[in-house]
Amino acid sequence: MIGSESVMFFSDKFDKIIGIDNNMRAYFFGDNASTEWNTKKLSERIPNFKHYSADIRDEKALEKVFSEYGTDIKLIIHTAAQPSHDWAAREPITDFTVNANGTLNLLEMTRKHCPDATFIFTSTNKVYGDTPNFLPLIELENRWEIDESHPYYKEGIDEKMSIDQTKHSLFGASKVAADVLVQEYGRYFGMKSGIFRGGCLTGPNHSGTQLHGFLAYLMKCAITGEQYTIFGYKGKQVRDQIHSEDVVRAFEVFIKNPKPGAVYNLGGGRGNSASILECIDLIKEYSGHQVKFTYNDTNRIGDHICYMSDLSRFMNDYPDWKLTYSLEKILKEIIEAQEKLARVSQCD
Ligand SMILES: NC(=O)c1ccc[n+]([C@@H]2O[C@H](COP(=O)([O-])OP(=O)(O)OC[C@H]3O[C@@H](n4cnc5c(N)ncnc54)[C@H](O)[C@@H]3O)[C@@H](O)[C@H]2O)c1
């Protein structure tokens, strides 16, 4: 999702855009999660886009691409990942080699072939492990909340939260490794690297599936009638939603004035935060569709009970950036996209 949004956004700002994606998402989550449709769409619509079906674990394949373009490469936006907690526990070695080793490969390629390029890494709030779950939390009718007396109540969780001595899930651990490596290439080698710890990144281009892409998958269930399963925390767990375009706009301002090794939390913040139950209600309100759901009392390991990103550090460093998508606008856009998709599949 974020990769394709970046391609669209930057296509008229650079001479050439290179995409590297081996559609491993279909291997992780099945054909329903394939990103091939999106790669095809980009190749058809964007004349200066060139796609390479390469695996970021494959150094030789990367070497070929990086040596072809060398110092002409000005920007790397690294969004390829195994992105799910649950899946990571199935194949820890695959998870780690994609998320950690793959990131190291890309960093090394950049250092070797285009050290002046800006390197953006999409990290995750899961680097904080389950530490956010030990904040003083209050149960409200439809959501969990941080206690009003806590400093994180007003703006959300900031980057000073420890990433150490917490249960991350194997996915969180492989992302920590990558996150710290990208910081190090900024601090140690002076590369223009930036780390963005995402909240819930979303938008109509997500190939949503049960194990990843919460809002897109929830909407798919609402529209197709597929049953959605809520795992634990009474469905009151809170996530902060940010539209993929606002994510990429954050990259844009960073690129203009990169701060090597900088770490930023990036999500929808308090304003775009909602629990699963609240999202279900909003979907009904905006689209008329009722999500059919069942409840499984066992929460997902690594799931946050209430997470909202504090955007202050990023907004202080980059005052030109602000969120342009409210939660309502995000939901309405995904509803429209999923309804269109449902109409197309009915015609097929
Ligand atoms: N979506 C979210 O809510 C969220 C939240 C926090 C962080 N993130 C992070 O943001 C990034 C982008 O997330 P997204 O939602 O766009 O994910 P996505 O799954 O839509 O995109 C990742 C892409 O990487 C590709 N890929 C996976 N392994 C690969 C490999 N070995 N070689 C080449 N390509 C490979 C996949 O095929 C997929 O197209 C990821 O790093 C993810 O961990 C996402």
Side-chain angles (χ1 to χ4, degrees), residues 1-3 20-25 28 35 54-57 79-81 83 98 122-124 171 175 198-201 206 212:
M1 176 183 61
I2 301 298
I20 298 179
D21 192 319
N22 63 351
N23 195 22
M24 208 161 167
R25 192 171 169 93
F28 300 140
T35 51
D55 190 321
I56 58 164
R57 294 171 298 177
T79 65
V98 171
T122 42
S123 185
T124 166
F171 159 72
K175 291 295 271 193
C200 211
L201 318 182
H206 223 180
H212 189 246

Side-chain angles (χ1 to χ4, degrees), residues 28-81:
F28 300 140
F29 310 127
D31 287 343
N32 276 347
S34 167
T35 51
E36 229 164 39
W37 64 274
N38 212 350
T39 307
K40 193 165 166 268
K41 187 178 92 180
L42 296 173
S43 303
E44 283 165 5
R45 294 193 188 165
I46 298 177
N48 58 341
F49 172 68
K50 182 154 185 208
H51 174 69
Y52 289 83
S53 181
D55 190 321
I56 58 164
R57 294 171 298 177
D58 181 348
E59 270 182 78
K60 280 206 183 99
L62 292 183
E63 180 79 46
K64 223 170 137 205
V65 180
F66 275 75
S67 59
E68 189 176 340
Y69 299 100
T71 52
D72 284 346
I73 302 171
K74 303 296 177 207
L75 168 65
I76 287 112
I77 299 181
H78 170 29
T79 65

Side-chain angles (χ1 to χ4, degrees), residues 60-325:
K60 280 206 183 99
L62 292 183
E63 180 79 46
K64 223 170 137 205
V65 180
F66 275 75
S67 59
E68 189 176 340
Y69 299 100
T71 52
D72 284 346
I73 302 171
K74 303 296 177 207
L75 168 65
I76 287 112
I77 299 181
H78 170 29
T79 65
Q82 188 303 107
S84 153
H85 295 293
D86 301 314
W87 198 92
R90 284 188 204 162
E91 288 189 32
I93 294 178
T94 309
D95 174 77
F96 197 85
T97 49
V98 171
N99 288 351
N101 298 37
T103 300
L104 182 59
N105 286 341
L106 288 165
L107 286 164
E108 264 304 281
M109 290 298 148
T110 306
R111 190 166 79 93
K112 189 168 157 193
H113 295 283
C114 46
D116 292 332
T118 301
F119 189 104
I120 286 176
F121 175 60
T122 42
S123 185
T124 166
N125 59 15
K126 303 303 183 303
V127 298
Y128 300 118
D130 61 2
T131 301
N133 293 352
F134 296 97
L135 291 170
L137 298 173
I138 308 286
E139 184 177 354
L140 302 179
E141 196 185 336
N142 274 328
R143 67 189 272 152
W144 292 96
E145 252 305 343
I146 300 170
D147 189 283
E148 268 184 55
S149 62
H150 195 276
Y152 287 157
Y153 170 76
K154 203 163 161 242
E155 302 288 350
I157 293 166
D158 66 23
E159 298 81 356
K160 292 199 277 299
M161 179 171 267
S162 170
I163 61 168
D164 192 19
Q165 299 182 63
T166 172
K167 193 198 273 183
H168 293 92
S169 82
L170 290 161
F171 159 72
S174 61
K175 291 295 271 193
V176 165
D179 181 305
V180 174
L181 278 167
V182 183
Q183 290 185 50
E184 212 52 42
Y185 272 67
R187 287 167 194 266
Y188 192 95
F189 292 123
M191 252 168 55
K192 290 181 258 174
S193 65
I195 296 93
F196 291 84
R197 294 179 175 162
C200 211
L201 318 182
T202 191
N205 290 325
H206 223 180
S207 298
T209 172
Q210 188 184 42
L211 292 186
H212 189 246
F214 153 67
L215 208 50
Y217 178 64
L218 185 65
M219 204 71 80
K220 199 191 262 181
C221 291
I223 285 163
T224 61
E226 187 180 331
Q227 187 118 305
Y228 184 86
T229 307
I230 296 174
F231 292 97
Y233 302 130
K234 303 180 189 171
K236 298 182 183 185
Q237 52 272 58
V238 169
R239 293 147 189 196
D240 63 333
Q241 320 292 329
I242 182 169
H243 192 282
S244 46
E245 193 182 311
D246 280 337
V247 173
V248 176
R249 284 187 190 285
F251 300 163
E252 186 192 27
V253 291
F254 179 84
I255 295 157
K256 286 184 184 150
N257 179 22
K259 300 189 193 308
V263 172
Y264 299 107
N265 288 347
L266 186 69
R270 170 165 284 286
N272 279 5
S273 70
S275 69
I276 302 182
L277 293 182
E278 287 171 336
C279 286
I280 290 173
D281 284 349
L282 288 171
I283 291 171
K284 171 98 173 118
E285 185 185 331
Y286 299 147
S287 73
H289 295 289
Q290 177 65 55
V291 178
K292 293 188 200 113
F293 63 88
T294 49
Y295 181 69
N296 180 332
D297 209 22
T298 312
N299 63 274
R300 288 200 156 115
I301 298 176
D303 209 7
H304 289 147
I305 304 174
C306 179
Y307 190 94
M308 293 175 248
S309 316
D310 181 349
L311 303 170
S312 314
R313 180 189 281 183
F314 187 68
M315 293 178 81
N316 283 337
D317 283 357
Y318 299 96
D320 288 345
W321 180 88
K322 63 176 181 347
L323 286 171
T324 64
Y325 276 80

